[in-house]
């Protein structure tokens, strides 16, 4: 963690006295020795001899002759060539029936006749396939030139079809193994083409599996293997795969090993990973080794019942190859395979024939493509001019501006138009990649085996350009203004990358820590402290924080359809920025500033897998790599340790345990306990908000504050509530209150009783977390009713007919009148400037006297101001529902303050019961939530009264948040923290007494990172000072306040 965001590096030039040539040579030597394992020149698999082959040949010959397509005098020769000269493995003959084989021989003959009529034997194309209708496997055979990726004909799509049909969706209960090899003979005496054969069979795992021979608890490969694999695999292959399986089980990302075959130039690349970890990977690997002029003699894909996939490639150099020797290029293939694992479906590598981009350059192009989609400046001077003319405080003007902004974003730069620019300017992208690589390629030294790869060595003929030279070249070369803007965004991307896992040997997604200085102030007036962008095969994501020490939820943004996905994609960063900025307002009196993460899965992608990859890729940038060949040290221009704190949000509530445990597995021994909040209480010592009513306690203080200030009796108050007894806020609002609730609206329907809904029945539903649809209707008065969303044509007691239950529910919050409205659930912006008038009657009188927001963003800012003008007493979400963030903050504190052993002893339940420490700590958290909420309520109430209502409470709340955040920022790095008595006095009061008594203040101050201590100190001082003296306090007031800090 650090005090200020690092500035973008001013220049990306090569270090003095270092050339690309010397760097690559030193490192290729290291690479060629790294990971080198020699194996004997023996087959990795044995193909059982097919004993019935001659008998089958006779049947096939008779069948071919009977079908009559081949002249009878040629039949014997064609069948003999197919069986003896073509070099097809016995696996084929053993798997196929005589009828299928005879069809294939006739098809081969027909193809030769067709090629003859064209007078070009090079046009000879064979395409044989058999897909089992019952899903037991398939056979594909087609002509294939070694070392070349086919762009037309059957070879162009065969492997991608195999990926989609048999490999991408593998599960332990439904998976396939694959053997593929090149025929050793040519198609005929006159045509030199060889055949590529693919044999796919459904895995057959014995049930029950054979007993394990392992005594150490590790997986025994024989207990998880397909029976055919065990019959064919050599002892050495079993030994290699066994080790790979153990490594995959202990690691989140892929495992890659290279083996040199003695006495040959053949290299065997073995890759292991968890099923579902990537997709379209098998076909992408062929493009990769073809790029380096290698061809595969054999390839195998094995799948195991414990959810692991292993791909084995037997690679050889092409005869007369002009590429780098395989002794070097194999390490290039291995390293770039890790990038392919992250992005196997990269359009800029698939076009490598035209662009010349190696995987690293193509991956860089893809990342720049994503960056450009979000950050090409799409508003410009016309928007700025309009913004200056219009009044953003006027709701109508604000809506016009918002619509224009959205229109600009949709129409100026599309994904497709940016991709076209990248394809059209391959040379510029190449130079931009050099500019990026010269900074972020890890230095080659004895401690690091990760050397510059061959794509890097290829750049030795390219003179690296300085930023200004590169910018000038782009301007001179690219005349189209929009193209120029796209390519300039790549340069902006380069200049603001502080660290990246791009060159890590193994990874599951690409992550970049960016300095946020490039964000235009016109669109993003509050500059974030730091930001991350994460790019995976099936998702993209961001993380934004507004202070060094910051916390916020990780939200998964799901898309209903292609159009919705497109909208979400365009708005993802803006949504993330807005959520993080809002979180900053809410986090005003805790040490952590506002932060938020968003993840956008592709359509159909599993959200949990996207979340796991997002977390792992960000951890790559938080923990220094220590393991050569797996996780190595990165180039870190930020230069300071960073801590992030993640919390649950939409779609991730059940994933916080995994993230904390994964951080621990990755080596985050000091901070895994505080990495996530919202962890399960029993297993990981989390403090669940709903169980202890943390958020509701804060909301409750505002409701009670209104009652007290206005002299109201709760039992006389009528109330409408959105969010039912099944939810966190809704259930706790019911359990904590004793008012006369007349309507509750939730996901299941609308429950109404003007006489007051039966409190006992509501409490029953709240305790059991059931929706209002489960309400016992016998407990309703004669005027009460329940309308469920699935119902139609419901007659209400008044005689009104409800045509559709869902439509009725969606607008129900506009129907009712009561003293108090507490929204505890519902969609964001449910009440906005275009519909807020529906909350007033025909005479302009509001439906509610008091509104305390429980749900986030239920009202827009304009809607709040509209209601406050009509004398509604309204308290907004960032003030009222901060109980949850206070609870999470103190959960983080416990994780940072306790050692792992203390945490296990004190925070994790024993026999399903919490420790005495845990119970005391939770009680103290609840007290702090109530204390903070009451203090802020009184501060807002006093200020509103002082101004005699001239300023709305909504505005006072925002100004209070801003004042608190600004004061915190000033205090964090002030001399006041350096005054030890003041610091100790504040810490003693800021840290819950339960924790101070258990650990001791001195030990706590040793354990807590200094940046966290500064944040805790400044947040406590700022909030207690402002809440005591008000937003207009003077410097004299602060002097009096500071004088007492040491007490």
């Amino acid at each position: 963690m650090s005090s200020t965001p690092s500035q973008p590096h001013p220049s990306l030039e090569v270090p003095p006295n270092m050339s690309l040539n010397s760097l690559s040579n030193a490192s290729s030597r290291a690479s060629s020795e790294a990971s080198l394992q020699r194996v004997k020149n023996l087959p990795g698999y044995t193909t059982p001899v097919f004993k019935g082959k001659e008998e089958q040949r006779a049947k096939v010959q008779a069948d071919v002759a009977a079908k009559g397509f081949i002249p009878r005098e040629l039949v014997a020769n064609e069948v003999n060539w197919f069986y003896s000269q073509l070099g097809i493995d016995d696996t084929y003959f053993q798997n196929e029936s005589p009828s299928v084989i005879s069809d294939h021989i006739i098809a081969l003959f027909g193809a030769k006749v067709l090629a003859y009529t064209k007078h070009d034997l090079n046009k000879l194309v064979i395409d044989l396939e058999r897909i089992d209708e019952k899903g037991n496997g398939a056979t594909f055979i087609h002509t294939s030139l070694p070392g070349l990726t086919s762009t037309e004909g059957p070879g162009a799509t065969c492997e991608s079809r195999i990926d989609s049909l048999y490999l991408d969706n593998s599960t332990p209960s439904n998976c396939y193994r694959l053997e593929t090899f090149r025929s050793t003979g040519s198609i005929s005496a006159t045509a030199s083409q060889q055949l590529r054969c693919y044999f796919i069979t459904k895995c057959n795992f014995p049930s029950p599996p054979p007993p394990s021979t392992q005594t150490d608890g590790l997986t025994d490969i024989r207990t998880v293997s397909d029976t055919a694999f065990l019959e064919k695999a050599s002892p050495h292959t079993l030994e290699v795969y066994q080790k790979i399986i153990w490594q995959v089980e202990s690691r989140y990302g892929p495992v890659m090993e290279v083996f040199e075959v003695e006495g040959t130039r053949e290299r065997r690349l073995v890759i292991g990973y968890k099923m579902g970890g990537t997709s379209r990977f098998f076909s992408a690997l062929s493009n990769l080794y073809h790029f380096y002029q290698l061809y595969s003699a054999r390839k195998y894909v094995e799948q195991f019942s414990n959810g692991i996939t292993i791909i084995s490639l037997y690679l050889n150099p092409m005869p007369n190859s002009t590429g780098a020797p395989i002794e070097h290029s194999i390490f290039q293939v291995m390293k770039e395979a890790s990038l392919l694992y992250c992005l196997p479906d990269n359009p800029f590598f698939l076009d490598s024939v035209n662009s010349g981009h190696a995987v690293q350059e193509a991956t860089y192009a893809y990342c720049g493509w994503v960056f450009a989609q979000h950050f090409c400046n799409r508003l410009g001077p016309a928007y700025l001019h309009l913004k200056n003319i219009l009044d953003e405080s006027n709701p109508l003007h604000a809506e016009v501006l918002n619509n224009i902004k959205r229109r600009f974003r949709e129409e100026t730069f599309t994904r497709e138009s940016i991709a076209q620019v990248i394809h059209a300017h391959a040379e510029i992208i190449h130079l931009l990649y050099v500019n990026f690589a010269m900074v972020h390629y890890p230095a080659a030294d004895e401690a690091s085996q990760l050397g510059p790869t061959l794509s890097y060595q290829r750049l030795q003929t390219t003179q690296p350009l300085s930023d200004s030279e590169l910018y000038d070249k782009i301007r001179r070369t690219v005349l189209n203004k929009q193209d120029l803007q796209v390519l300039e965004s790549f340069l902006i991307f380069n200049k603001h990358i502080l660290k990246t896992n791009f060159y890590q040997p193994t990874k599951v997604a690409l992550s970049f820590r960016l300095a946020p200085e490039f964000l235009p102030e016109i669109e993003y007036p509050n500059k974030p402290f730091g930001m991350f962008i994460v790019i995976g095969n099936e998702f993209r994501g961001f993380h934004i924080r507004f202070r060094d020490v910051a916390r916020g939820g990780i939200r998964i943004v799901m898309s209903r359809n292609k159009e919705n996905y497109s909208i979400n994609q365009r708005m993802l960063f803006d949504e993330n920025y807005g959520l993080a900025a809002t979180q900053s307002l809410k986090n005003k009196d805790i040490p952590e500033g506002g932060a938020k993460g968003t993840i956008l899965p592709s359509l159909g992608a599993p959200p949990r897998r996207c979340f796991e990859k997002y977390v792992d890729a960000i951890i790559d940038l938080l923990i220094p790599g220590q393991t050569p060949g797996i996780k190595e040290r990165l180039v870190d221009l930020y230069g300071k340790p960073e801590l992030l704190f993640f919390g649950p949000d939409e779609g991730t509530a059940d994933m916080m345990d995994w993230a904390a445990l994964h951080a621990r597995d990755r080596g985050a021994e000091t901070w895994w306990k505080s990495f996530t909040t919202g962890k399960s209480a029993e297993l990981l010592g989390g403090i669940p908000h709903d169980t202890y009513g943390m958020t509701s306690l804060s909301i409750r203080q505002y409701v009670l504050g209104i009652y007290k200030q206005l002299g109201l009796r709760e039992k006389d108050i009528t109330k409408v509530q959105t969010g039912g007894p099944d939810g966190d806020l809704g259930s706790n609002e019911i359990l904590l209150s004793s008012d006369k609730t007349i309507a509750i609206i939730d996901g299941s329907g609308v429950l109404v009783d003007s006489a007051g809904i039966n409190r006992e029945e509501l409490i029953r539903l709240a305790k059991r977390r059931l929706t209002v649809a489960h309400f016992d209707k016998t407990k309703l008065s004669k005027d009460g009713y329940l309308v469920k969303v699935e119902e139609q044509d419901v007659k209400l007691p008044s005689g009104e007919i409800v045509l559709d239950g869902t439509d009725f529910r969606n607008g129900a919050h506009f129907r009712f009148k009561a003293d108090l409205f507490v929204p505890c659930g519902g969609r964001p912006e449910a009440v906005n400037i275009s519909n807020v008038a529906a909350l007033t009657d025909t005479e302009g009188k509001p439906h509610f006297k008091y509104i305390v927001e429980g749900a986030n963003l239920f009202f827009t800012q304009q809607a709040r101001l509209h209601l406050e003008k009509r004398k509604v007493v309204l308290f907004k979400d960032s003030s009222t529902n901060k109980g949850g963030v206070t609870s999470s903050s103190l959960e983080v504190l416990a994780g940072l303050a306790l050692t792992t052993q203390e945490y296990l002893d004190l925070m994790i339940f024993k026999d399903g019961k919490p420790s005495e420490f845990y119970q005391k700590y939770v009680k103290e958290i609840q007290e702090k939530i109530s204390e903070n909420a009451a203090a802020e309520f009184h501060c807002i109430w006093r200020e509103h009264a002082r101004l005699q209502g001239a300023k709305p409470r909504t505005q006072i709340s925002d100004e209070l948040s801003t004042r608190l955040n600004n004061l915190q920022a000033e205090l964090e790095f002030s001399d006041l923290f350096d005054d030890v008595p003041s610091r100790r006095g504040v810490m003693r009061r800021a840290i819950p007494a339960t924790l101070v008594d258990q650990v001791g203040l001195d030990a706590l101050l040793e354990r807590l990172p200094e940046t966290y201590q500064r944040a805790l100190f400044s947040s406590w001082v700022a909030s207690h000072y402002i809440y005591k003296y008000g937003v207009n306090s003077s410097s004299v007031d602060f002097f009096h306040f500071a004088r007492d800090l040491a007490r």
Side-chain angles (χ1 to χ4, degrees):
M1 291 184 288
S2 72
S3 55
T4 54
S6 181
Q7 295 299 312
H9 37 284
S11 175
L12 302 182
E13 297 183 49
V14 186
N17 307 320
M18 182 182 289
S19 71
L20 273 166
N21 220 348
S22 61
L23 236 131
S24 14
N25 288 341
S27 158
S28 64
R29 287 195 299 274
S31 288
S32 61
E33 295 302 318
S35 308
L36 197 60
Q37 303 174 71
R38 290 181 177 84
V39 295
K40 291 182 178 176
N41 188 7
L42 296 170
Y45 287 73
T46 56
T47 304
V49 176
F50 178 34
K51 293 177 181 175
K53 191 171 182 181
E54 289 308 312
E55 182 185 343
Q56 185 194 62
R57 183 204 298 246
K59 289 181 181 176
V60 167
Q61 187 164 324
D63 197 29
V64 171
K67 288 176 179 174
F69 287 101
I70 299 178
R72 191 167 289 276
E73 65 272 18
L74 299 179
V75 168
N77 189 48
E78 289 298 322
V79 172
N80 181 55
W81 189 280
F82 194 86
Y83 267 82
S84 304
Q85 304 297 316
L86 202 50
I88 296 179
D89 194 279
D90 270 13
T91 302
Y92 168 76
F93 297 105
Q94 195 158 6
N95 285 355
E96 301 295 355
S97 68
S99 174
V100 169
I101 295 172
S102 66
D103 285 347
H104 287 172
I105 291 171
I106 292 168
L108 180 60
F109 181 79
K112 286 190 277 190
V113 171
L114 180 64
Y116 178 80
T117 64
K118 293 182 176 179
H119 304 290
D120 185 358
L121 289 175
N122 290 323
K123 295 282 177 64
L124 181 51
V125 175
I126 307 298
D127 181 14
L128 311 175
E129 71 173 56
R130 180 191 60 80
I131 296 177
D132 184 78
E133 293 177 359
K134 295 178 181 177
N136 291 317
T139 300
F140 299 92
I141 300 175
H142 61 76
T143 38
S144 169
L145 290 170
L148 291 177
T149 297
S150 302
T151 55
E152 56 186 21
T157 59
C158 181
E159 290 194 349
S160 58
R161 285 177 67 206
I162 289 170
D163 269 333
S164 61
L165 290 171
Y166 299 105
L167 301 181
D168 286 353
N169 300 310
S170 296
T171 64
S173 59
N174 184 31
C175 53
Y176 294 83
R177 64 181 301 268
L178 164 68
E179 297 180 49
T180 172
F181 51 82
R182 181 173 295 286
S183 64
T184 53
S186 55
I187 291 173
S188 70
T190 53
S192 61
Q193 287 100 320
Q194 293 176 315
L195 293 181
R196 182 102 221 170
C197 308
Y198 299 85
F199 303 110
I200 299 136
T201 52
K202 191 164 189 176
C203 291
N204 175 27
F205 302 117
S207 180
S212 174
T213 58
Q214 291 291 137
T215 57
D216 51 11
L218 295 173
T219 300
D220 181 347
I221 189 171
R222 288 171 179 79
T223 68
V224 295
S225 294
D226 168 76
T227 49
F229 166 70
L230 288 176
E231 287 173 10
K232 295 184 174 187
S234 68
H236 179 260
T237 295
L238 283 173
E239 183 185 339
V240 168
Y241 284 19
Q242 176 71 86
K243 290 176 182 174
I244 295 279
I245 284 174
W246 289 340
Q247 288 182 65
V248 173
E249 287 179 328
S250 66
R251 199 187 298 174
Y252 188 66
V255 173
M256 303 192 189
E257 299 284 353
V258 172
F259 298 88
E260 175 187 350
V261 180
E262 285 183 354
T264 74
R265 297 188 72 196
E266 182 174 280
R267 296 292 184 271
R268 295 178 185 172
L269 175 61
V270 183
I271 303 170
Y273 57 92
K274 292 183 174 73
M275 282 180 191
T278 187
S279 59
R280 301 180 290 281
F281 188 44
F282 176 71
S283 53
L285 285 169
S286 297
N287 297 332
L288 172 59
Y289 61 73
H290 287 162
F291 190 88
Y292 291 102
Q293 298 186 37
L294 304 177
Y295 75 93
S296 66
R298 291 174 172 269
K299 296 188 280 192
Y300 299 91
V301 179
E302 301 296 350
Q303 313 234 45
F304 299 89
S305 63
N306 62 340
I308 286 173
T309 299
I310 294 180
I311 297 176
S312 186
L313 310 175
Y314 290 41
L315 299 175
N316 291 275
M318 284 287 295
N320 307 317
S321 165
T322 57
I326 192 171
E327 291 77 9
H328 288 172
S329 64
I330 189 63
F331 294 100
Q332 171 69 12
V333 170
M334 182 172 74
K335 290 179 174 69
E336 295 201 349
S338 81
L339 283 172
L340 270 190
Y341 181 86
C342 298
L343 292 174
D345 201 22
N346 184 342
F348 307 109
F349 181 59
L350 297 177
D351 186 47
S352 59
V353 174
N354 298 318
S355 69
H357 292 320
V359 169
Q360 287 177 327
E361 287 174 35
T363 305
Y364 166 78
Y366 188 98
C367 295
W369 180 46
V370 172
F371 180 87
Q373 289 168 41
H374 292 282
F375 300 114
C376 271
N377 181 9
R378 291 155 289 182
L379 299 183
Y383 176 84
L384 182 59
H385 184 63
L386 190 63
K387 188 172 185 281
N388 291 335
I389 294 171
L390 296 176
D391 175 13
E392 284 188 88
S393 64
N394 180 318
L396 293 174
H397 288 198
E399 194 173 356
V400 167
L401 266 179
N402 208 37
N403 289 338
I404 290 172
K405 183 193 284 191
R406 187 175 288 116
R407 191 80 177 270
F408 265 125
R409 303 221 156 147
E410 288 173 7
E411 296 179 3
T412 313
F413 291 97
T414 64
R415 295 174 72 241
E416 293 74 20
S417 67
I418 295 170
Q420 285 170 5
V421 174
I422 295 168
H423 283 300
H425 297 283
E427 185 195 348
I428 297 292
I429 297 296
H430 172 83
L431 291 170
L432 285 160
Y433 171 70
V434 177
N435 182 271
F436 163 79
M438 289 310 300
V439 174
H440 294 285
Y441 217 106
D445 56 34
E446 291 179 3
S448 170
Q449 295 302 319
L450 175 65
T453 51
L454 286 178
S455 69
Y456 197 70
Q457 291 187 40
R458 271 204 321 279
L459 307 181
Q460 59 192 319
T461 56
T462 304
Q463 177 61 41
L465 302 179
S466 68
D467 290 349
S468 56
E469 289 169 339
L470 183 52
Y471 179 66
D472 286 344
K473 183 170 181 65
I474 293 171
R475 272 194 313 115
R476 287 196 309 272
T477 309
V478 182
L479 303 178
N480 180 295
K481 191 175 180 182
Q482 282 203 332
D483 287 14
L484 180 64
Q485 222 168 322
V486 169
L487 295 169
E488 282 174 351
S489 75
F490 274 71
L491 195 54
I492 291 168
F493 180 50
N494 285 1
K495 282 181 67 65
H496 292 84
I497 299 170
L498 298 177
K499 51 185 170 179
T500 174
N501 71 347
F502 190 95
Y503 292 108
Q504 277 291 17
T506 64
K507 53 197 162 287
V508 295
L510 293 149
S511 54
F512 301 85
R513 164 65 161 94
L514 301 175
E517 278 70 20
F518 66 90
L519 293 174
E521 193 174 337
I522 176 179
E523 296 181 64
Y524 310 104
N526 298 321
K527 197 70 72 185
F529 178 89
M531 58 184 285
F532 292 79
I533 181 171
V534 185
I535 300 168
N537 184 37
E538 58 279 272
F539 75 96
R540 64 180 65 180
F542 291 99
H543 186 272
I544 297 170
R545 73 192 201 273
F546 278 89
R547 288 174 55 199
D548 190 0
V549 177
R551 196 194 67 81
I554 308 298
R555 173 175 296 191
I556 293 179
V557 180
M558 298 300 291
S559 308
R560 292 186 304 277
N561 50 44
K562 195 170 182 180
E563 184 183 1
N564 186 229
Y565 175 78
S566 202
I567 293 167
N568 288 338
Q569 199 174 51
R570 283 196 301 270
M571 300 306 295
L572 187 66
F573 181 78
D574 285 2
E575 179 178 349
N576 199 143
Y577 177 88
L579 289 167
T582 301
Q583 193 71 34
S584 291
L585 299 178
K586 195 185 290 188
N587 287 17
K588 54 183 162 279
D589 46 17
I590 61 172
E592 302 93 347
K596 211 75 174 181
T598 50
I599 300 168
L600 176 66
S602 304
L603 286 174
R608 186 179 185 94
R609 186 185 302 156
C610 299
F611 173 82
E612 290 179 0
K613 288 185 175 185
Y614 171 93
V615 169
D616 188 71
I618 284 183
I619 289 176
D620 281 345
L621 303 185
L622 301 181
I623 297 178
Q626 304 287 355
T627 315
I630 301 172
K631 298 293 182 186
E632 302 184 343
R633 285 204 169 270
L634 308 171
V635 174
D636 184 0
L637 302 179
Y638 185 64
K640 308 174 191 78
E642 285 189 277
L643 273 183
L644 299 183
F645 303 119
F646 292 171
D649 205 303
E650 291 177 17
T652 61
D654 61 343
M655 303 178 193
M656 295 297 110
D657 285 10
W658 180 89
L661 292 171
H662 186 63
R664 188 182 186 186
D665 291 343
R666 287 287 308 270
E669 186 56 36
T670 57
W671 50 263
W672 71 270
K673 308 177 295 298
S674 57
F675 183 49
T676 62
T677 56
K679 302 182 290 293
S680 61
E682 293 194 25
L683 297 176
L684 287 175
I687 301 170
H689 300 173
D690 55 352
T691 305
Y692 299 106
M694 298 303 193
T695 307
S696 299
L697 282 172
S698 173
I699 298 164
R700 192 77 195 137
Q701 288 303 312
Y702 282 81
V703 174
L704 294 175
I706 291 170
Y707 294 163
K708 187 176 178 182
Q709 291 295 329
L710 300 177
L712 304 171
R713 289 197 312 170
E714 182 166 11
K715 65 179 184 178
D716 298 331
I717 295 294
T718 55
K719 181 177 79 179
V720 171
Q721 175 182 325
T722 60
D726 59 318
D728 167 13
L729 297 187
S731 62
N732 282 302
E733 175 61 24
I734 289 166
L735 295 172
L736 291 170
S737 62
S738 59
D739 50 50
K740 182 181 172 184
T741 301
I742 62 165
I744 295 183
I745 305 153
D746 72 8
S748 72
V750 181
L751 177 66
V752 181
D753 197 331
S754 57
I757 300 170
N758 184 285
R759 177 65 56 176
E760 288 178 7
E761 179 63 1
L762 278 182
I763 289 171
R764 180 185 75 84
L765 296 181
K767 286 184 174 177
R768 295 182 60 189
R769 287 298 182 89
L770 297 172
T771 62
V772 295
H774 294 85
F775 189 90
D776 180 356
K777 289 198 276 189
T778 64
K779 304 282 177 72
L780 290 170
S781 74
K782 63 179 178 62
D783 296 322
Y785 59 85
L786 169 64
V787 178
K788 299 177 186 177
V789 289
E790 65 272 16
E791 293 179 328
Q792 293 178 327
D793 300 322
V794 179
K795 188 175 183 180
L796 303 183
S798 64
E800 180 186 350
I801 302 294
V802 174
L803 298 177
D804 181 86
T806 301
D807 289 344
F808 183 74
R809 188 278 314 271
N810 290 345
H813 53 287
F814 294 114
R815 285 181 66 93
F816 308 111
K817 296 181 180 180
D819 297 318
L820 174 65
F821 178 38
V822 182
C824 294
R827 294 303 303 152
E829 302 187 3
V831 181
N832 53 61
I833 196 62
S834 61
N835 63 21
V836 69
L839 283 180
T840 54
D841 61 22
T842 52
E843 296 174 2
K845 186 179 178 184
H847 290 184
F848 307 111
K849 298 174 184 174
Y850 324 112
I851 296 175
V852 176
E853 291 186 53
N856 275 324
L857 306 176
F858 190 85
F859 289 86
T860 64
Q861 187 78 342
Q862 293 98 328
R864 293 183 188 113
L865 296 172
H866 178 92
L867 290 167
E868 286 209 63
K869 276 183 184 174
R870 283 147 186 81
K871 307 301 180 189
V872 175
V873 176
L874 185 148
F875 288 93
K876 68 176 293 189
D877 52 3
S878 58
S879 288
T880 58
N881 72 1
K882 63 181 181 177
V885 301
T886 304
S887 175
S888 295
S889 175
L890 293 168
E891 187 180 331
V892 165
L893 176 57
L896 288 173
L898 299 172
T899 64
T900 294
Q901 192 55 52
E902 287 170 343
Y903 192 85
L904 296 175
D905 292 341
L906 300 172
M907 294 297 288
I908 294 176
F909 288 24
K910 304 291 185 293
D911 301 321
K913 294 180 181 177
S915 67
E916 186 183 348
F917 172 89
Y918 183 96
Q919 292 176 74
K920 280 185 181 176
Y921 194 62
V922 166
K923 194 163 186 278
E924 204 167 350
I925 290 173
Q926 291 173 322
E927 290 167 359
K928 279 192 175 288
I929 288 170
S930 296
E931 176 192 315
N932 282 350
E936 185 175 356
F937 170 85
H938 288 296
C939 186
I940 295 171
W941 194 274
R942 279 200 318 268
E943 183 65 9
H944 187 266
R946 185 183 73 80
L947 296 171
Q948 298 179 332
K951 187 179 287 186
R953 292 180 181 85
T954 294
Q955 193 177 333
I956 294 170
S957 173
D958 289 343
E959 289 175 2
L960 178 61
S961 297
T962 303
R963 178 78 199 278
L964 275 167
N965 285 330
N966 291 342
L967 183 56
Q968 274 188 50
E970 289 177 36
L971 288 169
E972 203 166 321
F973 303 102
S974 70
D975 295 342
L976 194 57
F977 177 81
D978 299 325
D979 180 62
V980 175
S982 295
R983 186 197 316 167
R984 291 178 66 87
V986 168
M987 291 299 182
R988 193 180 299 108
R989 282 171 277 186
I991 300 172
T994 314
L995 205 49
V996 176
D997 294 344
Q998 178 68 39
V999 178
L1001 186 62
D1002 290 333
L1004 285 168
L1005 296 181
E1006 282 178 21
R1007 293 177 186 179
L1008 295 173
E1010 184 186 322
T1011 41
Y1012 183 86
Q1013 287 188 46
R1014 286 182 176 275
L1016 180 58
F1017 175 88
S1018 62
S1019 65
W1020 189 93
V1021 171
S1023 60
H1024 282 72
Y1025 167 65
I1026 296 290
Y1027 291 157
K1028 183 176 180 179
Y1029 289 97
V1031 288
N1032 282 313
S1033 51
S1034 67
S1035 51
V1036 175
D1037 293 330
F1038 189 79
F1039 172 76
H1040 288 301
F1041 179 80
R1043 195 172 53 184
D1044 296 333
L1045 290 179
R1047 291 181 184 175

